[in-house]
Amino acid sequence: MSDAPRRSTRLNKGQEEEAKKTKHADHDVEMEDTTDATKDGDKPEEKVLGVKELEAIAIADIKQHFVLFTKSAKTHEARFAVRALRSVSSLRKRLTAAVLARTIASSYTKDEEERQRLLGYLGPEALSSITSEDEATVTKVDTPEVGVYLHLLVMIYLLDQGQIEKGIELSNVTVKTVQELNRRSLDQLAAKVYFYYARFYELAGRLAEIRPTLLNAQRTATLRRDDDTQSTLINLLLRNYFHYNLYDQADKLVSKTTFPENATNNQLARYMYYLGRIKAIQLEYTESHQSLLQAVRKAPQNTVTAGFQQEANKLLIIVQLLMGEIPERSLFRQPVLRKALVPYFQITQAVRVGDLTKFQETLATHAATFNTDKNYTLILRLRHNVIKTGIRMISLSYSRISLRDVCLKLHLDSEEDAEYIVAKSIRDGVIDATIDHEKGFMRSKENVDIYSTNEPQHAFHQRIGFCLKLHNDSVKAMRFPLKVTPNQDAAELEAARDQEKTLVQEIAEADEDMDEDHDEL
Amino acid sequence: MAVPEVKKLAQALSQEYNKPNPDLAKCGQYLSQLKIALIELQYLTHDDKHNNIEELTLARDVLEIGAQWSVRTKDIPSFERYMAQLQTYYNDHPNLPASPLKYNLIGLNLLCLLSQNRISDFHTALETIDPEQLHSNPAIQHPIKLEQSLMEGSYNRVWSSRSEVPSKEYLFFIDILMDTIRNEIASCSEKAYTSLPLADAGTLLFFTNMADILNFAQERNWKVNPAEQKAYFHSDADEKINIPSEQIIKQTMFYARDMDRIV
């Protein structure tokens, strides 16, 4: 995207928190120089356009979305709605009170209740921007989707302006409307509405209040097999529980629900991150590691998602360390992550060398950071990993060493402690050794040839299984051209093909063009 | 029963419980009466109508005594029930005046989870505690340190922690914990040593007399050589590794089927 460089300079400052804080202030700037943020950024001539023209383009885009929503509702094809919602993130940067007010004015007749309500949220200046032309060419809104979409746009606008109280009011109304309307063609929109609804309450610090509403909506969405809303709501609920550290409830929610398979990548990445955190807290590191890896891989790799990438990677590093693995050095060098991961890098170093004093020092220096990341208790658990690494190093370097020396090297309290600790590491399979109690030393055993065991076969099986699964999944995901039946009109066929083409193109574009929501989470 | 009567009953209970030598059976009777009375006051349903601070505090105090009483009578399931009920009072009612017993009981709960080796529950419970209290409160610090020592294998420190308990209720769980630890040490020793003199095994396992050691050795199937006064552990080094033929056949068939699908 054309505004990528500007964003990255901001995010290079590091912390997601910082990014969040600057976001609102930053947005005003973005509003003014919308020139480089206009549609797709591939129309250089727009740079010279004035405010009026930009407004007109934005309004035209919104109107275009109206057509898509109406089409989607009439044909029962969700993909038109999805297409419109995808471009909301690029539209968002161009939303101004004037654009919204003019769109609203030209979509509702004067005496309609919704018109008054929506305009009320925009403030008095917006009203003055409505031209008589807008009011003259009212195209009546006949599908409820368009109405909900307008509500959604106003909500996004309020969020960007930081008007939380108004946003809460409006989102309450909108959620109620969506629930009352109960239309399948609203599913995609509903997911977005719930997202911003929860976001407003979070910013107001009132997350606990909406839990019952979200749970109810989640139940309804599950019954209606509404994948988009379902996945969004599960994530919102998890986030809600996490906010209050209620991991117990979060775990129960996860075990009682199934995350829809068709959920979008972004929702899946989020879900995987939450799952990884729950599992990490429950000491199921292998599962946690898998989920987090998926989260990191599924998350779009660009600067907009820096916050999410940082959070997920932080957790991933800790889980890797807890599993006894050392994360790769290159991870800490990535420009998006570098600054944010510094404290974690130091911890990793301490664990790698097995230096208990250094570990404690790092822990003390960065305690505040770890606390805000909610990773402090997890890091505390690393203490015994540091000791384990230490013991492993000793066992590798010495074939025989007295327990007293072990005790000194690891800075342990007493020789008895050292004996227990070594005995435990032997049982846990950290080292292969025996202890001679009478003479007080530990003797390492010779290394076993790994190829004489079943280990290589097991590893191969895993890899082959993965490749085969990949193949099967790709076969399943293939799309085939429409079947040609003799009585089908040639023109109709052509139209279908065209549609297919644009769809493929858009999917490709959308992969690059990130859903902006990631920035907020 | 109206609120004043319940209050009177609760006072009677706390008087009885706080005596130097409380009659536990009598406390139990009071508790069951109180629980019925509280249900009538709808202490379990928390909607806005029942946000009466006085009633809530009363219910919480009764539950707290109940939890402590369960520990005294060594009734773990009952303790867990009381703790589960108390959670709502601790977490969801920020306007309730803080209870002096709160962290003591949370610490007890942590220890209870630890003594049953429910480590993942232990960590989940840990996350709900306010970070500030986590670092400073001795009642919370004690179980946390215990868990750390347990994970590292510094059993010596666990043993000595007995003398540093924040309150006497903790001892009940620590005693349970000791049995767990003893078994842990024994299983470690089996792997780490080929043989061990009985007297040393005694010190390692915190036994003081020989009969206990011999009993324990018998329980764990150790071969004791009376002449040498040594215990021998059977090693599993001479166990033969079998070729997992059935598994290999299964896997190969699986490959064949999938390859067939591809070609």
Side-chain angles (χ1 to χ4, degrees), chain A residues 376-377 380-381 383, chain B residues 106-107 110-111 114 122-123 125-127 129-152 157-158 170:
Chain A
Y376 191 79
T377 44
L380 271 187
R381 291 186 210 168
R383 197 185 124 87
Chain B
I106 291 180
L110 288 175
L111 205 57
L114 210 55
F122 173 85
H123 282 290
L126 216 56
E127 291 294 329
I129 300 170
D130 177 31
E132 221 165 277
Q133 295 292 338
L134 207 62
H135 302 310
S136 58
N137 200 311
I140 307 289
Q141 275 292 307
H142 186 263
I144 290 180
K145 286 216 174 101
L146 262 184
E147 196 263 351
Q148 270 184 12
S149 315
L150 271 179
M151 291 310 277
E152 283 168 29
R157 226 185 286 159
V158 182
Y170 280 59

Side-chain angles (χ1 to χ4, degrees), chain A residues 444-493:
Chain A
S444 312
K445 283 185 190 161
E446 299 277 309
N447 275 348
V448 198
D449 177 18
I450 191 110
Y451 284 97
S452 68
T453 63
N454 285 324
E455 206 53 41
Q457 194 231 336
H458 184 69
F460 275 130
H461 174 66
Q462 258 187 344
R463 287 174 205 182
I464 296 173
F466 178 77
C467 290
L468 290 175
K469 191 170 173 294
L470 187 68
H471 174 263
N472 287 343
D473 286 350
S474 346
V475 170
K476 273 183 212 157
M478 268 190 227
R479 292 177 73 106
F480 296 100
L482 294 173
K483 230 185 213 161
V484 187
T485 42
N487 54 357
Q488 208 163 9
D489 202 335
E492 207 177 301
L493 204 66

Side-chain angles (χ1 to χ4, degrees), chain A residues 171-220:
Chain A
S171 60
N172 280 338
V173 177
T174 320
V175 164
K176 210 164 153 245
T177 330
V178 169
Q179 282 172 348
E180 275 166 6
L181 283 169
N182 183 19
R183 284 165 66 105
R184 289 295 57 73
S185 50
L186 266 175
D187 287 350
Q188 287 75 25
L189 270 166
K192 286 269 172 197
V193 168
Y194 282 120
F195 176 84
Y196 287 104
Y197 170 65
R199 182 74 189 145
F200 278 124
Y201 274 89
E202 188 182 337
L203 288 175
R206 286 159 59 184
L207 267 184
E209 286 172 32
I210 55 166
R211 223 177 281 153
T213 322
L214 291 182
L215 280 168
N216 271 333
Q218 202 272 331
R219 216 159 42 214
T220 327

Side-chain angles (χ1 to χ4, degrees), chain A residues 189-416:
Chain A
L189 270 166
K192 286 269 172 197
V193 168
Y194 282 120
F195 176 84
Y196 287 104
Y197 170 65
R199 182 74 189 145
F200 278 124
Y201 274 89
E202 188 182 337
L203 288 175
R206 286 159 59 184
L207 267 184
E209 286 172 32
I210 55 166
R211 223 177 281 153
T213 322
L214 291 182
L215 280 168
N216 271 333
Q218 202 272 331
R219 216 159 42 214
T220 327
T222 313
L223 286 174
R224 290 179 188 150
R225 299 188 177 283
D226 172 1
D227 288 344
D228 290 298
T229 316
Q230 211 183 325
S231 56
T232 312
L233 282 169
I234 291 179
N235 279 335
L236 287 175
L237 278 166
L238 286 177
R239 185 176 171 77
N240 201 321
Y241 286 135
F242 276 35
H243 188 83
Y244 296 97
N245 288 334
L246 298 170
Y247 295 100
D248 213 13
Q249 274 97 318
D251 180 45
K252 279 181 187 130
L253 178 74
V254 167
S255 62
K256 298 277 186 293
T257 51
T258 38
F259 195 74
E261 273 181 32
N262 305 334
T264 59
N265 254 355
N266 297 337
Q267 294 296 349
L268 187 65
R270 243 173 250 161
Y271 182 70
M272 283 296 161
Y273 167 72
Y274 291 139
L275 204 61
R277 188 169 267 281
I278 295 177
K279 294 288 171 205
I281 282 164
Q282 295 178 334
L283 295 103
E284 291 169 30
Y285 301 131
T286 328
E287 283 172 49
S288 166
H289 183 237
Q290 275 174 359
S291 310
L292 287 171
L293 257 188
Q294 278 216 49
V296 170
R297 287 185 187 153
K298 294 260 180 191
Q301 306 292 319
N302 64 35
T303 43
V304 185
T305 57
F308 181 82
Q309 285 181 54
Q310 285 167 1
E311 286 304 305
N313 273 308
K314 280 175 193 171
L315 200 56
L316 184 61
I317 290 168
I318 299 174
V319 171
Q320 267 184 318
L321 288 175
L322 281 169
M323 292 200 332
E325 291 172 14
I326 303 293
E328 280 180 40
R329 181 69 176 84
S330 59
L331 179 69
F332 298 100
R333 284 209 201 94
Q334 289 176 30
V336 192
L337 308 172
R338 201 165 47 94
K339 275 258 169 65
L341 292 185
V342 169
Y344 293 85
F345 178 57
Q346 287 170 0
I347 285 281
T348 310
Q349 277 181 324
V351 176
R352 198 174 64 91
V353 215
D355 185 344
L356 208 54
T357 5
K358 194 179 170 201
F359 175 76
Q360 298 289 20
E361 269 171 31
T362 323
L363 195 60
T365 354
H366 297 291
T369 324
F370 295 142
N371 260 330
T372 40
D373 290 347
K374 291 193 177 180
N375 287 335
Y376 191 79
T377 44
L378 285 175
I379 292 175
L380 271 187
R381 291 186 210 168
L382 275 172
R383 197 185 124 87
H384 86 270
N385 280 61
V386 180
I387 295 178
K388 267 192 195 167
T389 330
I391 292 183
R392 196 183 292 149
M393 303 283 263
I394 292 174
S395 152
L396 283 176
S397 350
Y398 299 88
S399 61
R400 226 172 77 165
I401 183 168
S402 77
L403 288 171
R404 204 185 136 60
D405 286 341
V406 173
C407 169
L408 286 178
K409 275 184 187 297
L410 295 177
H411 311 287
L412 298 174
D413 295 351
S414 64
E415 236 173 282
E416 287 84 43

